[in-house]
Amino acid sequence: MSQAQHRAEQAQRLLNDPLLQEARRAVVQALQTEVLSLPLGERERREAAVAMLKGAEQFFRVFELVIDGYTLERAELTNEAQIQARHHAIEERMRNG
């Protein structure tokens, strides 16, 4: 198994890990609760909480994109391996044919 394949599988396990999913929900929910609970008069605190919420959401989107990149790389490697296997099979038939 190549390092890229290993990293793709590892990334997928991370994304599907229940602990990570729970942490993501907890962070986003806590920040949403903070935003909604602050009075309108506390503008600076509200803006800071909204910025943290947007930052957390952006972090998780980027994290997913990185993992999707590894997943795509794994698919490309698998496709390349299948093409090579077909090529070798054709060469073998031509030699034996």
Side-chain angles (χ1 to χ4, degrees):
M1 176 185 305
S2 74
Q3 183 168 349
Q5 288 173 315
H6 175 70
R7 290 176 64 94
E9 289 174 9
Q10 193 174 29
Q12 192 62 46
R13 281 194 302 276
L14 278 173
L15 189 60
N16 293 330
D17 188 290
L19 186 59
L20 178 68
Q21 292 173 356
E22 181 182 336
R24 178 183 187 166
R25 282 190 301 273
V27 167
V28 170
Q29 184 177 14
L31 289 169
Q32 287 172 337
T33 300
E34 177 74 10
V35 168
L36 296 174
S37 70
L38 288 170
L40 292 176
E42 295 193 45
R43 183 175 175 186
E44 281 186 34
R45 284 185 61 200
R46 271 180 85 76
E47 288 176 356
V50 167
M52 284 189 286
L53 176 59
K54 288 180 180 180
E57 290 170 342
Q58 181 67 18
F59 166 80
F60 286 113
R61 275 194 298 273
V62 169
F63 189 77
E64 287 176 349
L65 287 173
V66 169
I67 289 174
D68 287 345
Y70 283 121
T71 302
L72 179 60
E73 187 174 353
R74 179 177 58 188
E76 289 171 351
L77 289 170
T78 300
N79 186 45
E80 185 178 314
Q82 289 172 345
I83 290 169
Q84 287 178 356
R86 282 188 219 120
H87 184 262
H88 291 301
I90 291 168
E91 286 178 341
E92 189 67 28
R93 276 190 242 143
M94 290 176 69
R95 277 191 291 247
N96 295 331

